[in-house]
Amino acid sequence: MAMKLSTRAIVVSLCLVLVFFAGQSAAAHGDRGKKGTVGDKVYQIVAKEIRDNSGVGPALIRLLFHDCWVNGCDGSVLLDRKPYGSKTEKQAENNIGLDGFDVIDKIKAKLGDNVSCADIVVLAAREATFIVSREKIDYPVKTGRMDGVVSSAEAADRFLPPSTFDFEQLKANFDVKKFNTKELVALSGAHAIGVAHKSSFADRIDDSTATPISLDYMNALKKDDKPIQPNNIRDKELAFRNASGYDPTGVDTTDMGKGVLDNSYYHANLQNTVLFRSDWELRNDTSGDAGGIMETFKEDAKEWYRQFGDAMAKLSKLPAEGTRFEIRKNCRKTN
Ligand code: HEM
């Protein structure tokens, strides 16, 4: 009898756990605007933080890629240190300039102990994408992820692609995660926003290492010589754009257009005015696939919005690969 009761209790508890996660999943999808829900709370905080600092949008979108690409979406990119001392993902070379951690902390403080940091990264990126694309890109995500307890700089540098990769290396890197050429090209469109340190594009403005780049753009970058540059030439001042011979046809270069996540990356790439070698390399796919896809995304913004949203949703689903999980109380350290 006691045995029967405890079996029943276990079944009931399991059902409760399932209902809890099912409830969470449903709650996070399409909840923007529904006061008091997890989805809306995340939206409100992300919207405010972006209003206060336009760099927050790009930072949160990049954070999703850098978390999920390394051992799946497990919040491991947020950890400051691990018990046995070696460097965490944050200290990886490929994580230069990674930001948005304070915004994740603010969301965690609002949501409390029941929502994992891994879920917060996913939800924050979704809201940032929605806002920064002027509400053009929206995609469904579920919650119920758990936080990992391992974070390794070595793993981040092994799995994340550096800006110096050629097309074959990019393709192989995305193949590992089962992302195809279309998804690689679609996600690279995120470089329509945000900024980069000079070290990330130094090879492009050095005559001895430069991959094809508009000569005028290269010279304008050399002359400008700021340590941090916008990823997208659209976001540079008019004089710089003119000096680069940039053709803005089809791109919103007004103040309203600056910093917007749109298809302007493909306009820039097809003019050889992108910062990273990895961007330009999309033109170097000998099969012609990537080049053709870029033409399509340049001409058909709606198609890119759709493909980018689908790829971000897929990114958000990359399963955590660890063996020990928890829901962290503080996103920066294990419990
Ligand atoms: C395809 C391979 C990729 C490479 C090689 C790459 C490389 C880089 C590099 C080097 C930076 C500048 C870092 C710095 O110097 O501060 C950067 C910035 C950025 N990347 Fe990527 N990236 C790739 C894919 C992606 C993907 C898939 C996404 C998002 C879905 C993304 C989103 C961003 C964003 C938004 C920024 C600007 C961040 C900010 O301003 O805070 N990137 N990327």
Side-chain angles (χ1 to χ4, degrees):
M1 178 69 177
M3 185 63 186
K4 267 189 183 163
L5 264 180
S6 64
T7 309
R8 218 172 130 200
I10 290 167
V11 171
V12 170
S13 321
L14 274 176
C15 287
L16 281 174
V17 169
L18 285 175
V19 166
F20 172 67
F21 282 117
Q24 271 204 324
S25 302
H29 177 39
D31 278 349
R32 198 177 298 125
K34 286 188 204 149
K35 247 181 165 321
T37 58
V38 166
D40 191 55
K41 283 178 189 166
V42 176
Y43 171 71
Q44 296 300 341
I45 295 174
V46 171
K48 181 190 178 306
E49 294 297 320
I50 291 177
R51 274 197 304 274
D52 292 352
N53 172 4
S54 60
V56 165
L60 292 175
I61 292 169
R62 186 172 180 229
L63 203 53
L64 176 81
F65 178 48
H66 285 229
D67 188 31
C68 297
W69 217 243
V70 184
N71 299 330
C73 306
D74 64 350
S76 56
V77 74
L78 308 172
L79 289 171
D80 275 340
R81 62 191 158 83
K82 51 184 180 182
Y84 42 97
S86 49
K87 289 180 179 173
T88 61
E89 289 175 34
K90 278 181 183 176
Q91 280 108 41
E93 274 184 39
N94 288 343
N95 274 331
I96 179 175
L98 207 63
D99 213 339
F101 303 106
D102 53 332
V103 180
I104 300 294
D105 290 341
K106 284 181 189 167
I107 299 172
K108 178 68 175 172
K110 182 84 180 170
L111 297 182
D113 288 349
N114 287 334
V115 182
S116 68
C117 301
D119 275 350
I120 291 173
V121 170
V122 166
L123 292 170
R126 181 177 79 147
E127 300 312 315
T129 301
F130 180 71
I131 294 163
V132 176
S133 70
R134 290 187 183 147
E135 307 188 359
K136 293 284 198 316
I137 308 174
D138 199 6
Y139 53 89
V141 295
K142 290 187 174 174
T143 51
R145 288 167 202 75
M146 299 288 282
D147 298 322
V149 295
V150 175
S151 176
S152 139
E154 185 275 323
D157 278 331
R158 187 152 35 96
F159 288 109
L160 289 167
S163 61
T164 48
F165 264 12
D166 66 21
F167 181 77
E168 292 311 319
Q169 290 170 310
L170 289 167
K171 177 102 186 84
N173 181 279
F174 273 58
D175 273 351
V176 171
K177 305 286 172 186
K178 302 203 164 38
F179 278 62
N180 61 28
T181 301
K182 195 182 225 178
E183 290 158 338
L184 163 64
V185 176
L187 286 174
S188 296
H191 293 162
I193 54 170
V195 293
H197 291 76
K198 196 170 179 182
S199 59
S200 299
F201 60 89
D203 59 319
R204 298 270 287 158
I205 54 172
D206 178 332
D207 297 308
S208 67
T209 52
T211 30
I213 180 169
S214 144
L215 205 60
D216 289 336
Y217 178 52
M218 186 206 228
N219 287 332
L221 280 173
K222 279 184 183 170
K223 216 166 136 195
D224 189 305
D225 204 34
K226 291 198 185 77
I228 293 181
Q229 288 286 347
N231 287 334
N232 193 340
I233 187 170
R234 173 205 57 196
D235 293 347
K236 291 293 293 180
E237 52 284 2
L238 180 64
F240 181 101
R241 292 199 308 265
N242 284 344
S244 305
Y246 176 63
D247 175 4
T249 311
V251 175
D252 183 354
T253 51
T254 65
D255 282 350
M256 294 297 287
K258 285 193 174 183
V260 169
L261 182 59
D262 61 12
N263 67 339
S264 54
Y265 167 83
Y266 304 99
H267 289 257
N269 206 341
L270 292 165
Q271 294 180 46
N272 279 2
T273 52
V274 278
L275 273 189
F276 309 134
R277 173 179 185 178
S278 58
D279 291 325
W280 175 78
E281 285 286 345
L282 300 182
R283 302 188 62 172
N284 205 18
D285 172 8
T286 47
S287 78
D289 287 353
I293 296 164
M294 282 207 289
E295 293 282 355
T296 303
F297 291 162
K298 179 190 166 210
E299 298 306 326
D300 187 350
K302 278 192 182 152
E303 176 63 9
W304 176 68
Y305 291 143
R306 241 189 324 270
Q307 296 296 339
F308 185 79
D310 286 354
M312 288 289 277
K314 182 170 168 181
L315 198 51
S316 307
K317 281 187 207 154
L318 282 173
E321 291 164 24
T323 50
R324 202 156 70 75
F325 296 101
E326 60 188 15
I327 293 185
R328 275 179 228 145
K329 294 185 191 315
N330 174 341
C331 290
R332 292 174 187 261
K333 52 185 191 189
T334 56
N335 288 342

